[in-house]
Amino acid sequence: MLVAELKSFYAVARWGTVTKAAAQLGISQPTVTGQLRQLESRYGIELFYRHGRSMHLSDAGQRLMPLAEKLVQQETEIDFWLRDASDLREGHLRVGATGPFYIMDTVQRYSQRYPGIDLTLTIGNSQAMLQALQDYRIEVATSSYLSDEKHFYRRMIAADPLRIVTHREHPLARRSQVQLSDLSRYALLLREPGSMTRKLTETALEAAGVTVARILEIGSRESIRQAILCDLGVSLIPSREAPTHPDLVTLAITDATIVMNEYLYCLRERQPVQLIARFLEMAPTAG
């Protein structure tokens, strides 16, 4: 209320009459007159000397004028800033992902379309990304974890079958067909708890009644890749994440179809925010 009253005060002081001030503000003359009276009566001061329709600043009004002018200038600056933010000429979008494989194309196109927006891409496991989303540490997340929480907006962006990845000197690499039961004699490399790849692997082995000889827990996909290169064991990896290297072999599983779905998430309450909405529009849809 005070801001509106001060804007009316400033307009009358600048234009000299209530009629001209009302026209500039786009409000009625009685509204301007009422706001001036409320401002003067609330603080018990006289801001104008009135001579018919003409109004001249009092001593108190003259002291208030530069402060009111600064307020109007700040409002204009705020309006410009909000318009820039709405038009995505500036801002910061934080994206969390389980990996770059399903979302990097969208990040690239978004960055090219909105060069004024700073982009941050954080990599983590599925559950960690959803937690970061709930904590407002990121605006958008990709996750393999299927959440039905009502406060999440969710869309599937990829469906990726898991493959067995081995060193080219590993015994399985020489086979034309590989089944889950063939893994029982070998060391299996698994991601950390919270990884959807690990969960899918464990679920598939349990359903097939397969117990592997040894499990090695490795904390990142890059470390998994290096462990396979060192021939420490084999791992189940989504096909689009399977590393390309002359010493690595990727094998299809013939007796089971294990698919990892990748989902795009944001908080439903934040879905209309331009910064987020434009990213969602650019992201792919699968299934």
Side-chain angles (χ1 to χ4, degrees):
M1 194 66 181
L2 178 59
V3 172
E5 293 167 355
L6 289 171
K7 287 173 63 178
S8 288
F9 160 78
Y10 175 78
V12 172
R14 182 175 181 184
W15 299 103
T17 69
V18 170
T19 301
K20 291 180 180 179
Q24 290 295 320
L25 293 172
I27 58 179
S28 67
Q29 295 181 40
T31 299
V32 173
T33 300
Q35 288 176 343
L36 288 179
R37 287 175 177 170
Q38 289 173 8
L39 185 61
E40 289 178 319
S41 64
R42 182 184 302 117
Y43 297 102
I45 58 176
E46 185 180 39
L47 297 174
F48 290 97
Y49 299 134
R50 292 161 173 84
H51 303 284
R53 292 189 176 184
S54 297
M55 302 179 69
H56 303 283
L57 285 172
S58 67
D59 292 342
Q62 290 178 2
R63 289 194 294 271
L64 179 60
M65 185 59 180
L67 298 176
E69 184 176 24
K70 185 182 295 185
L71 174 68
V72 172
Q73 290 173 348
Q74 287 178 336
E75 183 183 45
T76 301
E77 291 174 4
I78 290 171
D79 179 62
F80 285 151
W81 183 89
L82 288 171
R83 290 178 185 275
D84 283 347
S86 177
D87 293 339
L88 301 187
R89 287 195 285 264
E90 64 175 64
H92 187 188
L93 181 71
R94 299 165 298 177
V95 179
T98 55
F101 313 98
Y102 309 104
I103 204 64
M104 191 58 78
D105 287 347
T106 305
V107 169
Q108 180 188 29
R109 286 186 288 111
Y110 189 93
S111 180
Q112 290 174 345
R113 175 65 180 81
Y114 304 110
I117 302 297
D118 294 327
L119 274 166
T120 301
L121 179 62
T122 302
I123 304 298
N125 68 48
S126 292
Q127 292 186 13
M129 291 300 95
L130 291 184
Q131 187 61 54
L133 193 64
Q134 292 189 91
D135 294 341
Y136 291 85
R137 288 183 278 121
I138 56 177
E139 279 71 51
V140 180
T142 68
S143 174
S144 305
Y145 185 78
L146 177 61
S147 174
D148 291 323
E149 294 289 341
K150 293 182 179 180
H151 60 280
F152 282 144
Y153 163 84
R154 185 193 75 226
R155 184 169 86 233
M156 189 164 78
I157 59 174
D160 206 1
L162 267 61
R163 302 287 188 244
I164 296 173
V165 181
T166 75
H167 191 278
R168 64 184 178 88
E169 298 297 334
H170 193 279
L172 288 179
R174 295 188 287 274
R175 291 196 169 199
S176 59
Q177 295 184 339
V178 179
Q179 300 180 352
L180 287 176
S181 58
D182 296 326
L183 300 178
S184 61
R185 299 169 52 194
Y186 306 107
L188 180 65
L189 309 176
L190 290 178
R191 289 280 305 276
E192 74 285 354
S195 161
M196 183 54 66
T197 306
R198 174 175 180 151
K199 182 177 181 180
L200 289 172
T201 299
E202 292 176 333
T203 299
L205 291 175
E206 183 179 356
V210 176
T211 302
V212 297
R214 186 184 181 196
I215 289 178
L216 298 178
E217 185 177 303
I218 309 290
S220 69
R221 58 174 49 84
E222 292 77 15
S223 298
I224 289 275
R225 174 183 182 275
Q226 194 60 36
I228 300 173
L229 282 170
C230 293
D231 205 11
L232 290 177
V234 304
S235 188
L236 272 66
I237 299 176
S239 61
R240 288 171 65 177
E241 298 183 20
T244 302
H245 192 281
D247 289 335
L248 298 180
V249 176
T250 300
L251 305 166
I253 303 168
T254 61
D255 64 337
T257 301
I258 312 169
V259 177
M260 186 173 75
N261 296 325
E262 192 76 5
Y263 302 96
L264 181 65
Y265 287 93
C266 75
L267 291 176
R268 193 173 295 278
E269 65 183 18
R270 304 184 75 191
Q271 186 180 348
V273 175
Q274 291 294 312
L275 192 72
I276 298 171
R278 299 290 81 79
F279 189 90
L280 297 180
E281 288 176 359
M282 291 185 176
T285 299

